[in-house]
Structure formats: structure tokens, C-alpha cells
Amino acid sequence: MNPTIVRAGAGLLLALASAAASAQPKLGACTELASQFRHPSTRITSAQPVAAGALSNGGVPVGAHCVVQGQMNERVSPVDGQSYAIGFEVRLPADWNGRLLYQANGGTDGFVTRADGGFVGGGPLRNALQKGFAVISTDGGHTAAQNPLFGLDPQARVDYGYAAPRSAAPMAKALVQAAYGQPPARSYIGGTSNGGRLTMVSASRHADLFDGFLAIAPALRMPASSVGGLLGAQLWHAIAPDKTKLESAFPPPARAVLARAILARCDALDGAADGIVEDLAGCRKAFDLARDVATCTPAQAEECLTAPQKEVLAKVHAGPKNRAGQPIYTTYPYDPGVTSPIWADWKFVLSINPTRNPVSVGFIFSTPPQDKSMLQDTLRFALGFDVDTDAPRIFATSGVFTESAMSFMVPPDLPRFGALKARGGKMLVIHGSADPIFSVDDTTAWYDEFSRNQGASAGDFVRLFRVPGMSHSRGGPSTDHFDALDALVEWVEKGVAPQRIIATARGPGHAGGVNAEVPASWSPGRTRPLCPYPAMARYTGGDIERAESFTCRP
Ligand SMILES: [Ca+2]
């Protein structure tokens, strides 16, 4: 503070002190927010200071902050009689960087996940709260106890699908204003899986609310991919020796056979035989399941797959189709990340159990929704799901449900993102090549179409980075640890478009949490550049464990 100005008068001194206080708010003001903050349709339930070091992330203490919790849009549904609200918390750091982050949450939502803005793998070593962002997290308009039957209420569907940020983001900005005496200079939204989807939906529907968008492993066409999960389960179930365990159809040793065959054909296409397949398009041409994986015979029982296994694998990777052969979703690339337990979880468990695909499709995405009794036997629902008569319900509407799931879940302006472009916003999309549920082929096909529509300017405001080997959101034999939020901030605030994002393998000893799937043959902290599609990391020489030995080019 300039002392000559301070001496200019008591009034100015007070103003300067106030300005200093607003840049560095004291946590003593925190509890007062509970009684003093007013916003339409908002009820603050608590405002409490959190001491420095009370939380930690990646072994690093989180600084002092204020956590404000509350409810918005409280209502009783005229359809199912249940009480609904958008539950939220906002964390306001004492050492604020002037930015707001809307943390879009995953799955079927219903949880106010801690508002700290940790996104990927073990989380960035510093999460958004540690970086000084004010962060809001919401439950998307229903509680955990209301999962998944909130889908019986049309407004709760829409709040989950796209509407919650329209209420919650302006409230968060007003709360920031109340806490610091000034609104956020920049606002961001980011998330993983369903949170990545909501981020892309927001870039389409709410481009006015945010400057930057970070979508990781986006559940881009979730109703369609969820239907695909059910149909895949039917295929696995048909060949599973143990009908109570779908994974018996394609257990870890068999998946390792497939991964080795993929690597044999595709690993070196990018210039480095390093256990990573960068060139998905090249691999699509080079790898032939029928030719490149031996079919088990009485004479060959090793390094082979059975004929039924190969038949189902071919169908699953070709993507779900109706009886007329029309695609319901999209293809999946062959990637060595098929070995991942996360891959198995989505294909064999979440495709049939009462937490994911059956209930998402049956209660949230189908019009009309299933009867509640379906919850009692989700395997039966998955196995009985009819591709021609049940799948079209994700496109259906009714007098009660006036928006179809494909309408309320999918960004309405996918091919263009015109509002984002007009606003000057930036979006980073990051997706693992081995994602077993939301296919990187879907995201890639979207970006191809988007690029055709934009011409040369596509990369000026939207960039796609693919992570070879990474499973859904994290894991797999991959470098799944990266800080894309910093890259997005640089792009939004300094105009520096990301040319490469450095990613690290979370091998033994990694501070962000170890990924047990990092192969023992890799150095534990192997680094790679993630590259803006259509570029990929190509080896140029030097230490094969280091990102500096790779360049990004198509
Ligand atoms: Ca390679």
C-alpha cells in the first residue's frame, strides 16, 4: 500500500483498508454470510471457517477457507410428491486468486462432493481450492437418497441434465461478491465423466456464465452409451461360464492376450515401442481381431481367445446397433487399456447393477420411465432390454416428460458451439483412449465434425486432447496425471493456446496416488505430452521415458 495515499485522509484510508480486506477476506467474516447473504430462492444453512491444514490434497495442506452450504429452488414435485432442491457448497479461500470454479460432478450426481476442484487421476497435486479458486459444488438437484428415482420427476431430470448451473452459478458469483467485495474476474466450469458432459452442455447452453470450460472423459451422449452398456451385458452374459459373474466371459488373462496382440500391431506406429498406442486411426487399419488373435483350439490353448470371445469382442468394439443394423451409439477403438479393472467394472458390473446403466436408462433416460419395481432385479432388466422397442425411449417425450433424455443430456449445439465462439470462451476436452463406456471415438467424431464446420478456427476456442491407454477418467496403462486447469487458465487469460499438456504416469511413489496399472517396464514417473488432436505424441529420439523426447504432430 502506498503510504502517501494512506495519509491523504481517513475516508480514503478506510476505502483502501476495505479494498485490502476484499482482496484478502478474513475468515472472521465467514459465519456472517449465513445470516447476511441474500439471493433469490436460496437458503444458506451454514457458513463455517476451515483452518489451514484441516484438509490436505496430494500431501499438501489446503489453506484456510470458508465453506458455505445451502439449498436453492426448494420445491415439492407435483409429479412424484417428493421434496427437491439444489444442494450446494461453496469454498471461499482466504488467499483468493479472483476466480470462480463451478465443479461439475459425476455419475448420477446427488452428492455435494467437496468443493475443492480436484479432477483427474490422483487429482492435480494442487487442486483448484489450493490454487486459490473459489469453488462451488452442487448435487445437481436431488439427494443421494433420491438416486435413481429422481428420474420420475421431470424437473429433477432437467436440473441434472443441464439446468442446475443456470441457478447455482449466478448465486455463487453473488456469494463471491458478498465475501470478497468484488465479483470473480473469471469464471470456469470443469468436471469429469458426467461432470465433463455437464461442462460441454454448459458451453452450449450457458456460455454466458463461464469464460473457460474443462471437460474430462465427457459422458457426451450418456443415454446412448448407457443403452450400449446394457446391450453389451447381454452379449457377455450369453458366453459367460459363470452367469453370476459376467467377467468370467473375458477374464484378465484373456484381456492381456488381446492387449498384447494390439500392441504387436499398433505400438510402433507412433515411432516408439513403449506400450502406448498414440495412433488410433493407424491402429484401426493395422489391427484385425480375426487375423491377429489366434482362435483357441485343442492344439492351442495359450495366447488365444475362444471363437465366442472373439465374436463378442468384435460386436462390442463395433458398438451397439439395432436389429436393422443402425448404430445406437458408436465404435470403441482397440487399446491395450482393455486390461484395466476399470474397463471390466464398466463392461461387467456397472452395466447390470443398481447403481448405473440399468437405473440410468430405466428411470432417468426412458420416457415413460420404468416402474420402481425394476430396482429389485436390474440384471433381469438389462438382459431383457429390447434394442428395438426399449432403446427408442431415450428419444421419447410425453405430456409429463416434455424433454427427451437425448435432448436434456446432450449439448444441443454440438457441431458448432456457436454461443461459446461468440462469447470468446475456451474449452478443453480430454478423453482416454481406453474409456470403456464413453468412447473416445464418439468424442473424436464430434471434434472432426466440429472442425469441418469451423474450418481453421476450430482450435482457436476448442481443443481435444486424447490420453492413450487411459480408462474412464483415470487409470489404465497410461500417463493419467496432468494439470489441464492451469493450461485452460493460460488460454483464457493470456491467450496462450495449449500446444501440449505434460502428463505423468502415477507409478510407485507418486504423490497423487499410485496407479497400480502403470507397467513395471515403465519408469515410475514417465512423462508424455498430451497433444491437441489431430496431433499425437511422436518419438523424436532421446530418453523414451521423458516427454521432451516426443513432439506433437499429426
Ligand atoms: Ca507407441
Side-chain angles (χ1 to χ4, degrees):
M1 196 180 292
N2 185 328
T4 58
I5 296 177
V6 172
R7 283 195 296 272
L12 183 56
L13 181 63
L14 194 64
L16 284 169
S18 169
S22 67
Q24 291 266 310
K26 290 190 169 71
L27 280 174
C30 175
T31 52
E32 293 172 18
L33 288 168
S35 56
Q36 294 181 356
F37 177 65
R38 294 280 182 273
H39 191 79
S41 305
T42 302
R43 182 168 61 90
I44 301 298
T45 54
S46 104
Q48 293 294 329
V50 179
L55 301 177
S56 70
N57 171 56
V60 179
V62 175
H65 61 279
C66 172
V67 55
V68 180
Q69 295 174 320
Q71 306 277 325
M72 295 189 76
N73 301 358
E74 292 172 285
R75 65 190 175 86
V76 175
S77 163
V79 177
D80 67 2
Q82 298 291 306
S83 295
Y84 289 98
I86 299 172
F88 67 85
E89 73 169 39
V90 182
R91 289 185 185 252
L92 304 159
D95 191 7
W96 184 45
N97 66 15
R99 304 181 181 101
L100 172 69
L101 175 70
Y102 191 108
Q103 173 181 311
N105 292 321
T108 52
D109 228 320
F111 297 87
V112 182
T113 307
R114 182 190 292 160
D116 61 10
F119 284 126
V120 171
L125 284 179
R126 287 163 66 240
N127 62 33
L129 190 59
Q130 288 172 310
K131 292 173 196 281
F133 284 76
V135 185
I136 177 171
S137 165
T138 86
D139 62 11
H142 60 275
T143 64
Q146 290 171 321
N147 266 334
L149 295 175
F150 77 89
L152 305 184
D153 177 65
Q155 182 61 44
R157 284 186 175 193
V158 165
D159 282 344
Y160 166 63
Y162 66 82
R166 179 53 64 190
S167 293
M171 184 280 299
K173 291 180 183 182
L175 185 62
V176 164
Q177 169 81 49
Y180 300 104
Q182 60 191 80
R186 299 285 187 180
S187 295
Y188 296 83
I189 181 170
T192 301
S193 190
N194 175 65
R197 179 200 64 81
L198 183 59
T199 296
M200 293 184 73
V201 164
S202 296
S204 186
R205 291 183 181 265
H206 313 308
D208 57 312
L209 293 179
F210 307 102
D211 304 287
F213 301 76
L214 174 55
I216 297 168
L220 190 52
R221 291 191 292 146
M222 200 202 287
S225 54
S226 300
V227 165
L230 301 180
L231 298 173
Q234 295 174 4
L235 297 171
W236 298 117
H237 186 266
I239 67 166
D242 179 353
K243 298 300 182 191
T244 67
K245 195 174 176 221
L246 294 194
E247 189 169 3
S248 65
F250 192 38
R255 302 209 300 279
V257 168
L258 176 60
R260 283 192 290 270
I262 295 166
L263 286 168
R265 284 286 176 185
C266 301
D267 190 352
L269 295 175
D270 50 37
D274 58 352
I276 292 176
V277 176
E278 289 271 350
D279 188 353
L280 293 187
C283 190
R284 193 180 303 281
K285 292 178 192 143
F287 180 74
D288 181 332
L289 178 69
R291 180 196 64 202
D292 295 332
V293 179
T295 305
C296 299
T297 65
Q300 182 177 3
E302 300 287 325
E303 209 58 22
C304 62
L305 297 176
T306 67
Q309 282 175 326
K310 290 173 68 173
E311 186 182 335
V312 169
L313 272 174
K315 283 183 181 171
V316 165
H317 282 80
K321 296 182 170 66
N322 65 16
R323 290 192 183 86
Q326 297 162 321
I328 288 172
Y329 185 50
T330 189
T331 56
Y332 291 84
Y334 285 100
D335 186 282
V338 68
T339 51
S340 175
I342 300 173
W343 193 94
D345 198 35
W346 280 96
K347 297 296 190 192
F348 306 130
V349 179
L350 298 176
S351 58
I352 56 171
N353 83 0
T355 67
R356 205 57 86 213
N357 291 168
V359 296
S360 295
V361 171
F363 298 124
I364 307 168
F365 301 150
S366 290
T367 299
Q370 289 290 311
D371 186 83
K372 293 176 188 174
S373 61
M374 184 268 274
L375 261 179
Q376 291 155 20
D377 194 345
T378 52
L379 174 62
R380 182 178 172 195
F381 173 74
L383 297 182
F385 189 85
D386 188 276
V387 65
D388 283 349
T389 58
D390 293 329
R393 291 188 185 189
I394 65 174
F395 294 96
T397 61
S398 71
V400 174
F401 297 94
T402 57
E403 294 184 60
S404 77
M406 288 300 280
S407 169
F408 69 71
M409 290 297 285
V410 182
D413 188 22
L414 259 183
R416 297 193 178 277
F417 283 99
L420 179 69
K421 185 177 189 178
R423 185 220 197 293
K426 312 292 185 196
M427 179 160 66
L428 285 183
V429 180
I430 299 176
H431 205 150
S433 296
D435 192 317
I437 180 68
F438 310 112
S439 175
V440 76
D441 283 351
D442 197 36
T443 316
T444 304
W446 153 69
Y447 197 80
D448 285 340
E449 182 186 11
F450 170 78
S451 295
R452 280 194 296 274
N453 290 331
Q454 302 296 335
S457 70
D460 291 350
F461 70 111
V462 181
R463 293 190 174 204
L464 167 64
F465 292 76
R466 308 192 296 190
V467 189
M470 188 172 84
S471 193
H472 181 51
S473 305
R474 67 196 57 160
S478 67
T479 56
D480 71 351
H481 193 78
F482 46 85
D483 191 336
L485 185 56
D486 281 356
L488 179 61
V489 167
E490 286 284 301
W491 198 9
V492 166
E493 301 184 15
K494 298 180 183 166
V496 182
Q499 305 296 331
R500 53 201 265 148
I501 296 172
I502 300 303
T504 307
R506 292 182 293 122
H510 194 273
V514 172
N515 171 16
E517 300 178 65
V518 173
S521 58
W522 298 11
S523 76
R526 168 182 279 193
T527 55
R528 285 290 182 274
L530 307 180
C531 300
Y533 174 81
M536 66 188 82
R538 292 186 182 275
Y539 183 59
T540 52
D543 184 353
I544 207 160
E545 299 299 328
R546 303 296 305 164
E548 301 83 74
S549 306
F550 292 79
T551 188
C552 287
R553 60 178 172 80

